[in-house]
Amino acid sequence: MNWIALLIAVHVVTILLWIGGVAFVTMIIFPIIATTGDSLEQVLLFQRVEHRFARQARIYIALSGITGFWLLHLLGMDRILFTRQTIGVSIMLFAWFFYLLVLLFEKRIFKKLFGKPDRFDSAKVFKFLAAFHWVVLGISLLAVFAGVWQGHGGSL
Ligand code: HEM
């Protein structure tokens, strides 16, 4: 059994489900929310989608982290981490930690955004959230690019 090939396959399928979901929320769900007239409806739709996806994202972050760190070890890359040869891995690690931070502070962020119903401006909040998701998607796609580049001999 070629464990490295198996781990890379699991790593990539996990990333596919994870980042595919982020792209769907960013490019399909947010435009739907933006064209929904009623602000209560907007909040309910957002919360249902985000609540369901956040649960899955936790599994994807765990699985991509386990397979990623395991690969680092098996490929002997842990000894040359943060050098020019492993710049692709550094970008993947950055994206992964970024998601981890967002997930850890998710409750606090949502409380700040949705916590004060008397001063809640749904257009402003969803504009901010849509822009934030585009930034997150950009970082994710950069990490996918970096992963494939690293996996196929790319180095600076
Ligand atoms: C803890 C975080 C992560 C670690 C330690 C990690 C590590 C690795 C390693 C060591 C490889 C194999 C490289 C090689 O064969 O030379 C790999 C492949 C890959 N990673 Fe990650 N990764 C992590 C997170 C991510 C994230 C967040 C993404 C994308 C959003 C990603 C996308 C990919 C892709 C697309 C490959 C493809 C390899 C190929 O085409 O052969 N990884 N990763």
Side-chain angles (χ1 to χ4, degrees):
M1 170 71 84
N2 184 343
W3 286 101
I4 291 179
L6 186 71
L7 281 172
I8 291 180
V10 174
H11 190 70
V12 172
V13 170
T14 307
I15 297 299
L16 180 86
L17 287 168
W18 176 11
I19 308 307
V22 175
F24 185 79
V25 171
T26 308
M27 298 196 288
I28 309 288
I29 300 296
F30 272 105
I32 290 177
I33 290 177
T35 53
T36 303
D38 183 57
S39 71
L40 179 64
E41 236 180 282
Q42 285 184 314
V43 175
L44 289 178
L45 174 60
F46 173 74
Q47 283 186 342
R48 285 180 72 188
V49 172
E50 204 68 17
H51 186 66
R52 189 168 270 264
F53 187 62
R55 256 185 298 169
Q56 296 177 11
R58 278 187 198 104
I59 298 169
Y60 302 144
I61 291 176
L63 211 53
S64 63
I66 293 167
T67 49
F69 284 117
W70 201 346
L71 278 165
L72 268 187
H73 176 67
L74 290 181
L75 293 166
M77 285 177 163
D78 44 357
R79 278 175 274 120
I80 50 165
L81 206 53
F82 306 122
T83 64
R84 285 168 64 162
Q85 287 150 279
T86 54
I87 189 101
V89 175
S90 304
I91 294 170
M92 286 188 274
L93 271 172
F94 168 76
W96 190 81
F97 272 115
F98 178 75
Y99 269 102
L100 198 65
L101 279 181
V102 172
L103 211 77
L104 286 177
F105 292 104
E106 187 191 44
K107 278 211 175 86
R108 218 176 284 183
I109 298 169
F110 283 167
K111 207 171 163 191
K112 210 166 170 62
L113 289 174
F114 297 103
K116 296 190 180 87
D118 47 325
R119 272 188 281 150
F120 181 66
D121 180 346
S122 71
K124 206 170 144 193
V125 167
F126 284 111
K127 212 170 170 184
F128 166 77
L129 280 172
F132 180 70
H133 275 73
W134 275 108
V135 172
V136 171
L137 182 60
I139 293 173
S140 314
L141 294 179
L142 180 70
V144 172
F145 183 96
V148 175
W149 184 68
Q150 180 80 67
H152 297 270
S155 70
L156 287 180

